[in-house]
Amino acid sequence: AKEVAAVALAQAARSEAYLSRAEKSKAIIPALVGVSAMSATLNLIFPAIMASGVVVNPLLIAACPIIGGISAAVSSVACIETLAQGYLALGKISGDRMVSVKEANNRQSRFKALRQRAWGLSKAVLPSILIGLFLPGDYVFKCIVASAWSAVSVAYNLAEAETVVAEVTLKVAFISKAAAKADVF
């Protein structure tokens, strides 16, 4: 019974280490939600300021979707790393899972990790760019919609990362509980 408790405690410690890495990767995403929401809000405020007669530099209007796109890109990479660490903690080891940058120790796994990050970046940034290019309407309207899309992308990445971290937290708690029960008997 003591061996079972020791194995369960070791597994809980490994899962806890992966959980802490996932939390570390996820930590930047709430700040990015604020940045992207602020850029979307500023793009909504600029037309009202312009309607009152104040001249707003078009570069300032264009900076908001760019800032939102950068925050979407960074949150996408952070979310992918959180998913990779979370899947390791959950024991989901398969060929098509996310690869952590920390575990990419050979050429093939580094290429796979890079490909996954590039795909995540393209999913986060390309829709905003395409909206800005092809959406009918004036310049300010396109910037508003592109900024809003970036904010939605960052919020989605936060929700996905939080879901995985919550699953890992539950797993660590269950393993620790099993180890404590095994240690008692």
Short mmCIF file of all heavy atoms in Angstrom, two decimals, residues 74-111:
data_model
loop_
_atom_site.label_atom_id
_atom_site.label_comp_id
_atom_site.label_asym_id
_atom_site.label_seq_id
_atom_site.Cartn_x
_atom_site.Cartn_y
_atom_site.Cartn_z
N VAL A 74 0.26 36.88 -29.66
CA VAL A 74 0.96 36.45 -28.44
C VAL A 74 0.07 35.54 -27.61
O VAL A 74 0.53 34.52 -27.06
CB VAL A 74 1.43 37.68 -27.63
CG1 VAL A 74 2.00 37.27 -26.29
CG2 VAL A 74 2.47 38.47 -28.41
N SER A 75 -1.21 35.86 -27.53
CA SER A 75 -2.12 35.00 -26.74
C SER A 75 -2.28 33.64 -27.39
O SER A 75 -2.43 32.63 -26.69
CB SER A 75 -3.47 35.67 -26.55
OG SER A 75 -4.21 35.66 -27.76
N SER A 76 -2.23 33.59 -28.71
CA SER A 76 -2.34 32.31 -29.40
C SER A 76 -1.14 31.41 -29.08
O SER A 76 -1.30 30.21 -28.79
CB SER A 76 -2.44 32.54 -30.90
OG SER A 76 -2.39 31.32 -31.59
N VAL A 77 0.05 31.97 -29.11
CA VAL A 77 1.25 31.19 -28.79
C VAL A 77 1.23 30.75 -27.33
O VAL A 77 1.56 29.60 -27.00
CB VAL A 77 2.52 32.00 -29.13
CG1 VAL A 77 3.76 31.32 -28.61
CG2 VAL A 77 2.61 32.23 -30.62
N ALA A 78 0.81 31.65 -26.44
CA ALA A 78 0.73 31.29 -25.02
C ALA A 78 -0.31 30.20 -24.78
O ALA A 78 -0.10 29.29 -23.97
CB ALA A 78 0.40 32.53 -24.18
N CYS A 79 -1.42 30.27 -25.49
CA CYS A 79 -2.47 29.25 -25.36
C CYS A 79 -1.97 27.89 -25.84
O CYS A 79 -2.23 26.87 -25.21
CB CYS A 79 -3.70 29.68 -26.12
SG CYS A 79 -5.06 28.51 -26.03
N ILE A 80 -1.24 27.87 -26.96
CA ILE A 80 -0.73 26.60 -27.47
C ILE A 80 0.27 25.99 -26.49
O ILE A 80 0.25 24.78 -26.25
CB ILE A 80 -0.11 26.81 -28.87
CG1 ILE A 80 -1.21 27.10 -29.88
CG2 ILE A 80 0.70 25.59 -29.30
CD1 ILE A 80 -0.71 27.55 -31.23
N GLU A 81 1.12 26.80 -25.90
CA GLU A 81 2.07 26.26 -24.91
C GLU A 81 1.34 25.77 -23.67
O GLU A 81 1.69 24.74 -23.10
CB GLU A 81 3.10 27.33 -24.54
CG GLU A 81 4.19 26.83 -23.64
CD GLU A 81 5.05 25.73 -24.24
OE1 GLU A 81 5.17 25.63 -25.48
OE2 GLU A 81 5.63 24.95 -23.45
N THR A 82 0.29 26.48 -23.26
CA THR A 82 -0.52 26.03 -22.13
C THR A 82 -1.18 24.69 -22.44
O THR A 82 -1.20 23.79 -21.59
CB THR A 82 -1.59 27.09 -21.78
OG1 THR A 82 -0.94 28.31 -21.48
CG2 THR A 82 -2.43 26.66 -20.61
N LEU A 83 -1.72 24.56 -23.64
CA LEU A 83 -2.34 23.29 -24.04
C LEU A 83 -1.32 22.16 -24.05
O LEU A 83 -1.61 21.04 -23.60
CB LEU A 83 -2.99 23.42 -25.41
CG LEU A 83 -4.21 24.32 -25.53
CD1 LEU A 83 -4.64 24.45 -26.98
CD2 LEU A 83 -5.33 23.80 -24.68
N ALA A 84 -0.12 22.44 -24.55
CA ALA A 84 0.91 21.40 -24.61
C ALA A 84 1.28 20.92 -23.21
O ALA A 84 1.36 19.71 -22.96
CB ALA A 84 2.14 21.93 -25.34
N GLN A 85 1.51 21.85 -22.30
CA GLN A 85 1.85 21.47 -20.93
C GLN A 85 0.67 20.78 -20.24
O GLN A 85 0.85 19.83 -19.49
CB GLN A 85 2.29 22.70 -20.13
CG GLN A 85 3.57 23.32 -20.61
CD GLN A 85 4.76 22.42 -20.44
OE1 GLN A 85 4.80 21.56 -19.55
NE2 GLN A 85 5.74 22.58 -21.31
N GLY A 86 -0.53 21.26 -20.51
CA GLY A 86 -1.71 20.64 -19.91
C GLY A 86 -1.93 19.22 -20.39
O GLY A 86 -2.27 18.34 -19.61
N TYR A 87 -1.73 18.99 -21.68
CA TYR A 87 -1.88 17.64 -22.22
C TYR A 87 -0.83 16.69 -21.65
O TYR A 87 -1.11 15.52 -21.43
CB TYR A 87 -1.83 17.64 -23.74
CG TYR A 87 -3.03 18.27 -24.39
CD1 TYR A 87 -2.96 18.78 -25.67
CD2 TYR A 87 -4.25 18.38 -23.73
CE1 TYR A 87 -4.06 19.36 -26.28
CE2 TYR A 87 -5.34 18.97 -24.31
CZ TYR A 87 -5.24 19.45 -25.59
OH TYR A 87 -6.32 20.03 -26.18
N LEU A 88 0.37 17.21 -21.41
CA LEU A 88 1.39 16.37 -20.75
C LEU A 88 0.95 16.01 -19.34
O LEU A 88 1.12 14.86 -18.90
CB LEU A 88 2.74 17.10 -20.71
CG LEU A 88 3.52 17.13 -22.01
CD1 LEU A 88 4.75 18.03 -21.85
CD2 LEU A 88 3.95 15.74 -22.41
N ALA A 89 0.40 16.97 -18.63
CA ALA A 89 -0.06 16.71 -17.27
C ALA A 89 -1.22 15.74 -17.24
O ALA A 89 -1.34 14.92 -16.33
CB ALA A 89 -0.44 18.02 -16.58
N LEU A 90 -2.10 15.82 -18.23
CA LEU A 90 -3.25 14.93 -18.29
C LEU A 90 -2.88 13.55 -18.80
O LEU A 90 -3.71 12.63 -18.78
CB LEU A 90 -4.35 15.53 -19.17
CG LEU A 90 -5.03 16.77 -18.62
CD1 LEU A 90 -5.93 17.39 -19.67
CD2 LEU A 90 -5.81 16.45 -17.36
N GLY A 91 -1.67 13.40 -19.32
CA GLY A 91 -1.23 12.10 -19.82
C GLY A 91 -1.71 11.83 -21.23
O GLY A 91 -1.73 10.68 -21.66
N LYS A 92 -2.10 12.87 -21.96
CA LYS A 92 -2.55 12.69 -23.33
C LYS A 92 -1.32 12.68 -24.25
O LYS A 92 -0.92 13.71 -24.78
CB LYS A 92 -3.52 13.80 -23.74
CG LYS A 92 -4.81 13.76 -22.96
CD LYS A 92 -5.74 14.86 -23.39
CE LYS A 92 -7.03 14.81 -22.60
NZ LYS A 92 -7.93 15.90 -22.95
N ILE A 93 -0.73 11.53 -24.38
CA ILE A 93 0.47 11.39 -25.20
C ILE A 93 0.06 10.67 -26.48
O ILE A 93 -0.22 9.48 -26.48
CB ILE A 93 1.55 10.56 -24.47
CG1 ILE A 93 1.77 11.08 -23.06
CG2 ILE A 93 2.80 10.49 -25.29
CD1 ILE A 93 2.68 12.24 -22.93
N SER A 94 -0.01 11.41 -27.57
CA SER A 94 -0.33 10.83 -28.86
C SER A 94 0.46 11.57 -29.93
O SER A 94 1.07 12.61 -29.67
CB SER A 94 -1.83 10.89 -29.15
OG SER A 94 -2.24 12.22 -29.25
N GLY A 95 0.42 11.08 -31.13
CA GLY A 95 1.20 11.68 -32.19
C GLY A 95 0.69 13.02 -32.66
O GLY A 95 1.46 13.82 -33.19
N ASP A 96 -0.59 13.30 -32.45
CA ASP A 96 -1.15 14.55 -32.97
C ASP A 96 -1.37 15.61 -31.89
O ASP A 96 -2.02 16.60 -32.13
CB ASP A 96 -2.47 14.26 -33.68
CG ASP A 96 -3.51 13.64 -32.77
OD1 ASP A 96 -3.13 13.15 -31.70
OD2 ASP A 96 -4.69 13.64 -33.14
N ARG A 97 -0.81 15.41 -30.72
CA ARG A 97 -1.01 16.38 -29.64
C ARG A 97 -0.11 17.60 -29.83
O ARG A 97 0.80 17.60 -30.65
CB ARG A 97 -0.75 15.75 -28.29
CG ARG A 97 0.72 15.43 -28.06
CD ARG A 97 0.97 14.95 -26.65
NE ARG A 97 2.34 14.50 -26.53
CZ ARG A 97 3.35 15.29 -26.27
NH1 ARG A 97 3.16 16.57 -26.11
NH2 ARG A 97 4.58 14.80 -26.18
N MET A 98 -0.36 18.62 -29.04
CA MET A 98 0.49 19.81 -29.06
C MET A 98 1.85 19.46 -28.49
O MET A 98 1.96 18.71 -27.53
CB MET A 98 -0.12 20.92 -28.20
CG MET A 98 -1.44 21.43 -28.70
SD MET A 98 -1.18 22.35 -30.19
CE MET A 98 -2.83 22.80 -30.58
N VAL A 99 2.89 20.02 -29.07
CA VAL A 99 4.25 19.77 -28.60
C VAL A 99 4.73 21.01 -27.86
O VAL A 99 4.65 22.13 -28.37
CB VAL A 99 5.20 19.47 -29.78
CG1 VAL A 99 6.62 19.28 -29.29
CG2 VAL A 99 4.73 18.24 -30.53
N SER A 100 5.21 20.81 -26.65
CA SER A 100 5.75 21.90 -25.86
C SER A 100 7.12 22.31 -26.40
O SER A 100 7.89 21.49 -26.85
CB SER A 100 5.87 21.47 -24.40
OG SER A 100 6.56 22.45 -23.67
N VAL A 101 7.40 23.59 -26.31
CA VAL A 101 8.71 24.07 -26.73
C VAL A 101 9.80 23.49 -25.83
O VAL A 101 10.90 23.18 -26.28
CB VAL A 101 8.74 25.62 -26.69
CG1 VAL A 101 10.12 26.15 -26.96
CG2 VAL A 101 7.75 26.18 -27.68
N LYS A 102 9.48 23.28 -24.56
CA LYS A 102 10.46 22.75 -23.62
C LYS A 102 10.84 21.30 -23.92
O LYS A 102 11.91 20.86 -23.57
CB LYS A 102 9.92 22.87 -22.20
CG LYS A 102 9.73 24.30 -21.74
CD LYS A 102 9.30 24.33 -20.30
CE LYS A 102 8.95 25.68 -19.80
NZ LYS A 102 9.75 26.78 -20.21
N GLU A 103 9.94 20.57 -24.53
CA GLU A 103 10.22 19.15 -24.80
C GLU A 103 10.67 18.90 -26.23
O GLU A 103 10.97 17.78 -26.59
CB GLU A 103 9.00 18.29 -24.48
CG GLU A 103 7.86 18.51 -25.43
CD GLU A 103 6.76 17.50 -25.29
OE1 GLU A 103 7.03 16.31 -25.12
OE2 GLU A 103 5.61 17.93 -25.37
N ALA A 104 10.72 19.94 -27.05
CA ALA A 104 11.13 19.78 -28.45
C ALA A 104 12.65 19.65 -28.50
O ALA A 104 13.38 20.63 -28.63
CB ALA A 104 10.66 20.96 -29.28
N ASN A 105 13.14 18.42 -28.38
CA ASN A 105 14.57 18.21 -28.25
C ASN A 105 15.23 17.67 -29.52
O ASN A 105 16.43 17.56 -29.58
CB ASN A 105 14.87 17.29 -27.07
CG ASN A 105 14.06 16.03 -27.12
OD1 ASN A 105 13.41 15.74 -28.13
ND2 ASN A 105 14.07 15.28 -26.04
N ASN A 106 14.46 17.30 -30.51
CA ASN A 106 15.07 16.87 -31.77
C ASN A 106 14.48 17.70 -32.91
O ASN A 106 13.56 18.48 -32.73
CB ASN A 106 14.87 15.36 -32.01
CG ASN A 106 13.42 14.96 -32.10
OD1 ASN A 106 12.55 15.77 -32.39
ND2 ASN A 106 13.15 13.70 -31.86
N ARG A 107 15.04 17.52 -34.08
CA ARG A 107 14.66 18.34 -35.23
C ARG A 107 13.19 18.17 -35.60
O ARG A 107 12.49 19.15 -35.89
CB ARG A 107 15.56 17.98 -36.40
CG ARG A 107 15.33 18.80 -37.62
CD ARG A 107 16.26 18.35 -38.73
NE ARG A 107 15.89 18.97 -39.97
CZ ARG A 107 16.66 19.80 -40.63
NH1 ARG A 107 17.85 20.10 -40.16
NH2 ARG A 107 16.24 20.32 -41.76
N GLN A 108 12.71 16.96 -35.57
CA GLN A 108 11.33 16.69 -35.97
C GLN A 108 10.33 17.33 -34.99
O GLN A 108 9.35 17.93 -35.41
CB GLN A 108 11.09 15.19 -36.06
CG GLN A 108 9.71 14.82 -36.54
CD GLN A 108 9.52 13.32 -36.62
OE1 GLN A 108 10.37 12.55 -36.21
NE2 GLN A 108 8.38 12.90 -37.15
N SER A 109 10.57 17.19 -33.69
CA SER A 109 9.64 17.76 -32.72
C SER A 109 9.73 19.29 -32.71
O SER A 109 8.72 19.97 -32.49
CB SER A 109 9.88 17.19 -31.33
OG SER A 109 11.17 17.47 -30.89
N ARG A 110 10.92 19.85 -32.95
CA ARG A 110 11.02 21.32 -33.05
C ARG A 110 10.24 21.83 -34.25
O ARG A 110 9.57 22.85 -34.17
CB ARG A 110 12.49 21.74 -33.14
CG ARG A 110 13.19 21.81 -31.81
CD ARG A 110 14.52 22.53 -31.92
NE ARG A 110 15.42 21.89 -32.87
CZ ARG A 110 16.34 20.98 -32.57
NH1 ARG A 110 16.46 20.58 -31.33
NH2 ARG A 110 17.13 20.47 -33.50
N PHE A 111 10.33 21.11 -35.38
CA PHE A 111 9.57 21.50 -36.56
C PHE A 111 8.07 21.41 -36.31
O PHE A 111 7.31 22.28 -36.71
CB PHE A 111 9.97 20.63 -37.76
CG PHE A 111 9.21 20.94 -39.00
CD1 PHE A 111 9.46 22.11 -39.70
CD2 PHE A 111 8.22 20.09 -39.46
CE1 PHE A 111 8.76 22.41 -40.86
CE2 PHE A 111 7.50 20.38 -40.61
CZ PHE A 111 7.77 21.55 -41.30
#
